[in-house]
Amino acid sequence: MASLPKYMTAGRCDPLGATWDGFGVNFAVFSANADRIELCVFDRSGRREIARYDLPDCTDEVFHGYLPDALPGLVYGYRAHGPYQPELGHRFNPNKLLLDPYARALIGEVRWSDTLFGYRPGATRADLSFDRRDSAQAMPKAVVLTDDATWGDDRKPLLGWAETVIYEAHIRGLTRQRADLPEDRRGTFAALRDPRMIDHLVRLGITAIELLPVHAILQDRFLVERRLSNYWGYSTLSFFAPERRYFAEPDNPDDELRATVRRLHEAGIEIILDVVYNHTCEGDETGPTLSWRGLDNASYYRLMPGHQRRCVNHTGCGNTVNIAHPRVLQMVTDSLRHWATRFRIDGFRFDLATTLGREADDFDPSAGFFDAIRQDPVLSRLKLIAEPWDLGPGGYQLGNYPPGFAEWNAAFRDGARRFWRGDPGQRPEIARRLMGSPELFDRRRRRPSASVNFVTAHDGFTLRDLVSYSERHNFANGEDNRDGAEDNVSSNWGVEGETADGAINALRDRVRRALLATLFSSYGTPMLLAGDEINRTQRGNNNAYCQDNELSWLDWTALDDESGTGMLGFVTALAAVRRRYPSLRSAVFLHGIGMIADDLPDTAWFDEAGNPLDSHAWSDAAARLLVLRRATASERRREATLLLLNASEDDRAFTLPAPAFAWIVEIDSARAEQSRRPVDGPDLTVAARSMMILGAELAPPIA
């Protein structure tokens, strides 16, 4: 490393972070309440401090300075001086080395010790005490990067929402056990771009992969002490730096990520990142001082009015990011643009998004966060998905997000589960979900695609476990099976867990296929949980957030048996049928008003006898059968699909509604293997706990 100058010059207050301009590095960091901030420079290993400077200027609450002749690769951290008054929300402690909130790369890991806390753990005065021990040796450090990038002829797929099929996956768990991939690449972005993985996604009809958080994370102390780990990654340590564990070459993560994005784009697959801006890894007021808390606790976090020693905890994770503060909002939007431009990410799924939309305590669809993104020329063009809840007052806000945002639709998840479990009175509910949940989303010109439909997700049972367990089995998490959801709207169909009973296993298979058929034939954006296509199990664990092991990783040996290959073929067939028939994925809401031809409305509902449903039939709590016909027309083609649903315990005869068409059975969820076959006559038998999808081309074609 070249010798460093004795002094910094004033530099600029923007951009925030560390920026190399070819001659030196500009440093800028926000703090409204600090008295002064020091820049600490370390050797390349991050173990030895070699220089320290006061940032010489402060403009509009941004401390800044310029270090001439400094180069990319410089390793640094901050120390913030100011009042230590926890009762007023201030927790400055210059003995604690702090990460730059805009750090784009990190070196080293958090090494847990009591030095990481601004107070003395165990002291009588608790977090009101003051700890004078230096934390530098226990802290990772930030690394200065350049903005150089090579993309070649990369082109984003730019797929419309109506054509989108999402695959939710964990970058590590997806390939960690895939034996046909190089061992040193498994569990990394390099493995995701392997042709064998891309071929698998393409075969499934996947158009977007949604990855659990890839921001740098903290391994929480309580998990480390239990010899577990923060597997899911919802404990953000840096909003700009990638998590090094997910790279085959951790010293060069940016290039590896870019190469993966480019390969996926070539295959027509978009990348959506699950992002966590509602809370940070620093936890509540008794948590460690790693970055934001030490730089300006009262600005970065929401504090209890009148009790500013305490953090507001709408997230259940100890703290709540103060997104209403303009500089904090800037940090979040800068982070989003960083991933969207530096790595050409195609979209984001916002964890606990209700928190991001809170103005004071209440959720507001016109909150500053939404306004900032919707007007942004980069971010507004991406696929944006909200998880529409948090733990604060009025936290469940499904359907209330502004245009431009899609939403995880838990009403679809629970409605589909209840219907196929055979719960009474579910016919109107499943009808709403099949049509894209219009009572939730058909306003403000939103489209059915705003409903991200899913039967399973990372948080909960896998599809196999959903039909194998009635209770959670989370003892491996070390919380005495108290964690995770109690009510999973699941059924074990007679035996808890795995069984050798052939009849029970056949029933479970039928229900799983029926759930997937419902997912792929409903209006909205389908999301498939990674591994459901190969019968993945977590052995009844519905909260595997800390299980970075075989319990959570996909077991690709499932493709060595008939059951695994059969499910993979079934999902592949579902995706193909969805592509084949626009009436299975309408871009607009249909209400049975539009006419495709004489006596053929765009939507119609029938009972199993082929009779239109009246109000009495809709209110029949015992009804578990349903027929839905949908039809569409374009300049060159008219087609229709017919869904026959039988959630009862018996095989049932269905009479197809008039008018008669040359129907083809495209999907029969009672069968493991699919083969298209024409319908012979007006009647069909639909097996218990199963559904059929029929399709027809309507003649004459439109010229």
Side-chain angles (χ1 to χ4, degrees):
M1 180 181 294
S3 60
L4 294 170
K6 293 183 178 180
Y7 303 101
M8 300 184 78
T9 59
R12 297 174 52 88
C13 64
D14 64 277
L16 292 167
T19 307
W20 182 66
D21 64 3
F23 299 97
V25 178
N26 191 80
F27 296 87
V29 59
F30 160 73
S31 179
N33 294 292
D35 296 329
R36 66 187 178 97
I37 292 181
E38 293 177 298
L39 170 71
C40 300
V41 180
F42 292 81
D43 65 11
R44 288 191 177 276
S45 71
R47 289 189 289 269
R48 183 172 63 90
E49 184 177 321
I50 58 176
R52 187 179 297 193
Y53 308 87
D54 273 5
L55 293 182
D57 207 348
C58 185
T59 305
D60 296 334
E61 301 179 333
V62 174
F63 289 81
H64 54 94
Y66 184 83
L67 195 60
D69 300 324
L71 298 171
L74 182 141
V75 178
Y76 72 100
Y78 290 123
R79 298 180 187 271
H81 297 255
Y84 189 81
Q85 299 173 316
E87 66 279 6
L88 298 179
H90 301 308
R91 297 182 178 271
F92 294 98
N93 186 336
N95 300 293
K96 309 305 167 184
L97 188 75
L98 307 173
L99 279 176
D100 182 354
Y102 278 69
R104 296 188 294 176
L106 305 182
I107 186 172
E109 303 286 342
V110 170
R111 295 192 298 160
W112 277 108
S113 76
D114 287 350
T115 65
L116 293 170
F117 295 82
Y119 64 97
R120 294 192 69 85
T124 303
R125 300 184 69 232
D127 63 297
L128 295 177
S129 63
F130 187 81
D131 188 87
R132 300 185 182 279
R133 290 171 291 182
D134 194 295
S135 68
Q137 292 305 308
M139 281 289 295
K141 283 80 178 178
V143 181
V144 177
L145 298 183
T146 70
D147 289 324
D148 296 339
T150 301
W151 282 99
D153 60 351
D154 174 72
R155 297 181 184 180
K156 286 192 168 192
L158 298 176
L159 294 167
W161 271 106
E163 287 74 44
T164 297
V165 178
I166 298 174
Y167 187 78
E168 193 204 21
H170 188 287
I171 188 64
R172 179 168 165 82
L174 181 61
T175 60
R176 188 65 182 82
Q177 293 194 103
R178 183 142 184 177
D180 60 343
L181 300 182
E183 187 172 0
D184 61 349
R185 292 191 169 199
R186 296 174 200 165
T188 70
F189 276 95
L192 176 58
R193 73 169 182 263
D194 187 280
R196 285 159 287 199
M197 271 308 307
I198 291 179
D199 287 347
H200 179 77
L201 297 176
V202 170
R203 178 183 177 185
L204 283 173
I206 299 303
T207 69
I209 184 167
E210 182 178 305
L211 296 175
L212 268 66
V214 301
H215 290 171
I217 64 172
L218 175 71
Q219 291 297 333
D220 305 275
R221 190 175 198 176
F222 76 97
L223 291 175
V224 172
E225 290 173 349
R226 293 179 192 168
R227 297 185 178 180
L228 297 170
S229 67
N230 186 332
Y231 173 62
W232 284 352
Y234 292 92
S235 191
T236 305
L237 179 63
S238 173
F239 293 124
F240 292 78
E243 173 58 38
R244 289 166 54 89
R245 294 183 306 144
Y246 300 154
F247 294 89
E249 299 181 16
D251 293 332
N252 191 22
D254 287 14
D255 285 347
E256 186 173 328
L257 179 51
R258 289 191 192 100
T260 301
V261 170
R262 182 172 176 181
R263 290 299 184 193
L264 288 169
H265 283 175
E266 286 177 351
I269 299 172
E270 298 176 313
I271 299 182
I272 298 171
L273 297 185
D274 194 338
V275 287
V276 186
Y277 296 112
N278 57 81
H279 73 279
T280 77
C281 66
E282 290 184 311
D284 65 13
E285 58 275 1
T286 66
T289 296
L290 308 174
S291 179
W292 309 273
R293 173 163 288 140
L295 285 167
D296 194 348
N297 184 69
S299 293
Y300 281 107
Y301 295 119
R302 293 191 61 191
L303 306 178
M304 295 289 291
H307 303 277
Q308 292 170 292
R309 177 183 173 187
R310 308 296 185 196
C311 292
V312 170
N313 185 19
H314 291 332
T315 65
C317 299
N319 63 53
T320 302
V321 171
N322 185 18
I323 201 78
H325 190 292
R327 285 294 188 184
V328 181
L329 175 60
Q330 178 189 359
M331 176 187 69
V332 171
T333 53
D334 284 350
S335 169
L336 291 168
R337 276 190 297 271
H338 168 76
W339 293 91
T341 56
R342 188 174 180 86
F343 301 110
R344 299 197 177 181
I345 297 301
D346 302 284
F348 300 97
R349 179 264 190 188
F350 296 94
D351 178 65
L352 298 186
T354 296
T355 295
L356 305 178
R358 288 188 181 276
E359 298 284 347
D361 257 351
D362 297 326
F363 176 82
D364 183 354
S366 297
F369 170 76
F370 299 129
D371 290 346
I373 289 182
R374 293 174 66 203
Q375 64 78 42
D376 188 282
V378 174
L379 302 179
S380 63
R381 296 173 180 173
L382 305 180
K383 286 187 166 69
L384 306 171
I385 303 170
E387 183 185 32
W389 69 281
D390 69 6
L391 299 183
Y396 195 57
Q397 292 292 331
L398 179 63
N400 293 329
Y401 283 73
F405 282 79
E407 304 174 39
W408 268 27
N409 188 353
F412 180 94
R413 176 197 65 195
D414 295 344
R417 291 182 180 189
R418 289 192 178 99
F419 180 79
W420 289 111
R421 192 172 64 175
D423 290 12
Q426 294 301 306
R427 187 146 72 177
E429 173 69 9
I430 197 64
R432 287 189 288 267
R433 305 311 152 220
L434 288 166
M435 296 305 295
S437 301
E439 83 286 5
L440 296 170
F441 297 104
D442 190 9
R443 53 178 176 264
R444 299 190 68 183
R445 301 290 183 173
R446 299 180 80 184
R447 300 294 185 92
S449 55
S451 174
V452 176
N453 301 328
F454 62 102
V455 175
T456 54
H458 72 274
D459 188 0
F461 281 148
T462 67
L463 185 60
R464 178 171 175 172
D465 291 354
L466 182 67
V467 298
S468 303
Y469 296 89
S470 294
E471 306 291 339
R472 64 190 176 193
H473 295 264
N474 298 352
F475 292 99
N477 296 356
E479 300 180 43
D480 297 323
N481 205 36
R482 296 190 303 268
D483 61 303
E486 287 188 80
D487 181 11
N488 297 279
V489 198
S490 64
S491 175
N492 63 25
W493 300 102
V495 175
E496 186 73 356
E498 298 297 319
T499 179
D501 188 308
I504 291 177
N505 284 330
L507 175 57
R508 289 174 175 177
D509 287 346
R510 283 207 309 276
V511 174
R512 281 189 294 154
R513 289 192 294 265
L515 285 162
L516 288 173
T518 305
L519 175 66
F520 277 83
S521 60
S522 294
Y523 288 174
T525 304
M527 184 182 79
L528 179 70
L529 175 63
D532 279 352
E533 77 278 16
I534 56 172
N535 297 332
R536 182 169 74 98
T537 178
Q538 292 179 167
R539 299 195 289 277
N541 191 316
N542 73 351
N543 189 34
Y545 75 102
C546 56
Q547 300 296 328
D548 187 6
N549 50 49
E550 291 85 353
L551 185 71
S552 291
W553 302 338
L554 272 67
D555 180 7
W556 290 94
T557 62
L559 291 178
D560 295 335
D561 62 53
E562 185 176 341
S563 177
T565 56
M567 182 59 79
L568 178 60
F570 182 71
V571 176
T572 301
L574 281 174
V577 170
R578 183 178 174 87
R579 289 193 302 270
R580 191 177 302 140
Y581 292 97
S583 58
L584 295 178
R585 50 180 170 82
S586 175
V588 298
F589 286 103
L590 302 180
H591 301 284
I593 299 173
M595 299 300 295
I596 305 304
D598 293 343
D599 299 324
L600 184 63
D602 54 32
T603 305
W605 304 92
F606 306 91
D607 63 17
E608 67 274 21
N611 300 315
L613 292 178
D614 57 22
S615 58
H616 174 74
W618 279 115
S619 61
D620 182 359
R624 293 182 174 85
L625 282 65
L626 183 63
V627 177
L628 167 60
R629 186 183 65 208
R630 295 181 292 205
T632 62
S634 65
E635 293 181 356
R636 297 186 177 181
R637 183 186 180 201
R638 294 188 301 178
E639 53 80 27
T641 51
L642 195 66
L643 309 185
L644 312 177
L645 290 79
N646 176 14
S648 75
E649 62 274 15
D650 300 312
D651 296 354
R652 297 294 296 269
F654 281 69
T655 298
L656 305 187
F661 296 122
W663 293 109
I664 300 291
V665 177
E666 297 281 1
I667 296 291
D668 182 354
S669 71
R671 302 184 179 193
E673 296 183 1
Q674 301 301 304
S675 59
R676 302 177 72 211
R677 66 182 190 275
V679 175
D680 184 16
D683 300 315
L684 274 175
T685 297
V686 181
R689 315 285 188 190
S690 72
M691 69 179 287
M692 288 185 178
I693 302 175
L694 280 56
E697 299 292 334
L698 307 184
I702 298 176

